[in-house]
């Protein structure tokens, strides 16, 4: 379960699963009670768990919107992990407060563990266009577990670029999307890995689909919006 939670943090960072207010962001509606369900699939297309997000406690001022996101992750064995984290939308940029992920609720579900999260925010501007390059980002997760075991994970999101526009259909509907390519470089223990990925973003909804690949471009897994309401 500890490994599953860490992988979930990586997915959250790499795929930009924050939901932000419509007046602040064109792509992510931050409306109190909005609900988004994503289903994970393995490389063979078999269901591999779900992640559900719900927007709660939205606070807005003239230029800034803050909200709490409730996240529930369920793996294919039915094991569940829930946590709340903070999202800020300022100007026309969305930012995730990764330190807020390190809360008592999360740590209690991981057992005897201490965690520290640091890094630069993932940013997504309002005005996307084909060929546009987006800022890199990084996150470092330091874990101290029982028995003197330490595990450090560094995640970099690099070479972010808007590739194209296309329509995509999921169980939640058909959406006109921008497709954003990026590479996620992960250093965990003695292992270094680089995973290219693509996300499909629709205005007013957010992420519709995400695909991850190996270094040869073969599909490793995907995440698809299966239900949403706002």
């Amino acid at each position: 379960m500890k490994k599953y939670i860490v992988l979930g943090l990586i997915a959250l960072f790499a795929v930009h699963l924050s939901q932000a207010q419509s007046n602040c962001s064109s792509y992510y509606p931050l409306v109190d009670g909005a609900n988004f369900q994503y289903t994970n699939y393995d490389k063979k297309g078999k269901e591999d768990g779900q992640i559900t997000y719900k927007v709660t406690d939205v606070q807005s001022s003239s230029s800034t919107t803050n909200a709490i996101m409730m996240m529930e992750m369920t793996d294919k064995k039915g094991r569940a992990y829930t946590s709340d984290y903070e999202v800020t939308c300022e100007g026309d940029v969305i930012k995730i407060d990764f330190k807020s992920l390190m809360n008592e609720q999360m740590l209690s579900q991981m057992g005897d563990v201490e965690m520290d999260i640091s890094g630069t925010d993932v940013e997504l501007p309002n005005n996307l266009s084909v060929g546009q390059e987006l800022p890199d980002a990084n996150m470092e997760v330091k874990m101290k577990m029982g028995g003197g075991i330490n595990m450090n994970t560094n995640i970099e999101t690099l070479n972010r670029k808007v590739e194209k526009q296309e329509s995509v259909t999921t169980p939640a509907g058909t959406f006109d999307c921008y497709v954003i390519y990026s590479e996620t470089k992960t250093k965990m223990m003695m292992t270094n890995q680089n995973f290219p990925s693509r996300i499909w973003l629709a205005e007013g909804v957010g992420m519709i689909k995400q695909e991850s690949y190996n270094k040869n471009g073969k599909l490793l897994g995907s995440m698809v919006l299966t239900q949403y309401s706002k």
Side-chain angles (χ1 to χ4, degrees), residues 69-81:
M69 294 295 300
M70 184 180 72
M71 175 177 65
E72 181 176 14
M73 300 167 54
T74 305
D75 67 14
K76 61 184 178 181
K77 295 182 179 180
R79 296 175 297 187
Y81 150 66

Side-chain angles (χ1 to χ4, degrees), residues 33-63:
N35 193 77
F36 301 81
Q37 181 191 81
Y38 295 88
T39 300
N40 297 317
Y41 299 92
D42 64 18
K43 62 183 179 181
K44 296 182 179 180
K46 295 182 179 180
E47 188 170 328
D48 196 30
Q50 291 183 336
I51 302 178
T52 300
Y53 298 87
K54 185 176 181 179
V55 183
T56 64
D57 193 19
V58 180
Q59 303 290 332
S60 299
S61 63
S62 58
S63 61

Side-chain angles (χ1 to χ4, degrees), residues 4 8 11-12 21 27 29 36 63 73-74 78 86 110-111 117 131 136 138 140 151 172 175 185 198 217 220 223:
Y4 183 73
L12 176 65
Q21 191 241 12
Y27 291 93
F36 301 81
S63 61
M73 300 167 54
T74 305
E86 298 176 11
M110 296 183 70
I117 301 175
D136 295 339
N138 69 80
E140 185 172 10
M151 184 171 71
F175 306 89
K185 187 176 181 180
R198 287 181 174 88
L220 293 176
M223 179 185 296

Side-chain angles (χ1 to χ4, degrees), residues 177-197:
C177 299
Y178 279 101
V179 182
I180 299 177
Y181 172 86
S182 65
E183 296 173 8
T184 302
K185 187 176 181 180
T186 304
K187 296 180 181 179
M188 181 185 297
M189 305 296 284
M190 301 298 292
T191 303
N192 295 334
Q193 294 179 310
N194 193 353
F195 298 104
S197 67

